[in-house]
């Protein structure tokens, strides 16, 4: 059905019930950490680490203020525990970043 005068309003992640529900907080914040660790080139990882840690601290404070402290702390603790587990199990995750930063063209790495 086509309605010419229809107005659609995007109100956020309706399929999960909202952006600050426990599920989104618990699964979203570990993704921030994993994306940072897996995708950040070597020198940038160390240069931006203080800002990344500050972001995590601010997130913990923010979610504590709005009453989600248990969920955010559990998400961060589980992320740290999983990182140590993966590192002990297979340190390939931590060898992804190269120094100096480089790009791969074909089968060759070119330093940038």
């Amino acid at each position: 059905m086509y309605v010419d005068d229809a107005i659609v309003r995007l109100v956020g992640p309706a399929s999960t019930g909202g952006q600050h529900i426990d599920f989104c907080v618990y699964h979203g914040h570990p993704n921030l950490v994993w994306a940072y660790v897996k995708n950040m080139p070597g020198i940038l990882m160390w240069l931006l680490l203080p800002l990344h840690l500050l972001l995590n601290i601010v997130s913990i404070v923010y979610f504590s203020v709005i009453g989600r402290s248990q969920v955010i702390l559990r998400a961060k603790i589980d992320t740290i525990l999983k990182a140590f587990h993966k590192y002990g199990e297979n340190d390939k995750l931590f060898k992804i970043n190269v120094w100096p930063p480089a790009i791969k063209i074909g089968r060759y790495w070119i330093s940038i």
Side-chain angles (χ1 to χ4, degrees):
M1 173 176 15
Y2 173 76
V3 179
D4 191 38
D5 296 332
I7 297 173
V8 177
R9 295 195 172 128
L10 181 61
V11 294
S15 64
T16 57
Q19 65 185 15
H20 294 308
I21 66 165
D22 294 350
F23 178 85
C24 291
V25 173
Y26 181 81
H27 293 286
H29 281 268
N31 288 343
L32 290 174
V33 174
W34 290 121
Y36 180 82
V37 169
K38 289 174 70 174
N39 298 324
M40 190 67 67
I43 187 67
L44 292 177
M45 175 181 273
W46 296 109
L47 288 174
L48 297 174
L49 183 61
L51 289 175
H52 182 71
L53 294 173
L54 179 64
L55 169 72
N56 281 284
I57 292 168
V58 169
S59 297
I60 291 169
V61 170
Y62 173 75
F63 283 104
S64 295
V65 168
I66 66 168
R68 299 275 194 252
S69 60
Q70 288 182 326
V71 177
I72 191 71
L73 290 173
R74 177 71 355 212
K76 298 298 182 182
I77 290 168
D78 287 350
T79 302
I80 292 168
L81 294 175
K82 285 178 187 175
F84 284 114
H85 177 72
K86 285 185 182 250
Y87 181 73
E89 176 183 291
N90 181 2
D91 62 349
K92 181 181 177 185
L93 172 69
F94 294 94
K95 291 182 180 177
I96 292 172
N97 298 318
V98 293
W99 171 251
I103 56 172
K104 188 173 185 180
I105 298 177
R107 60 182 189 168
Y108 302 103
W109 285 93
I110 299 173
S111 295
I112 54 174

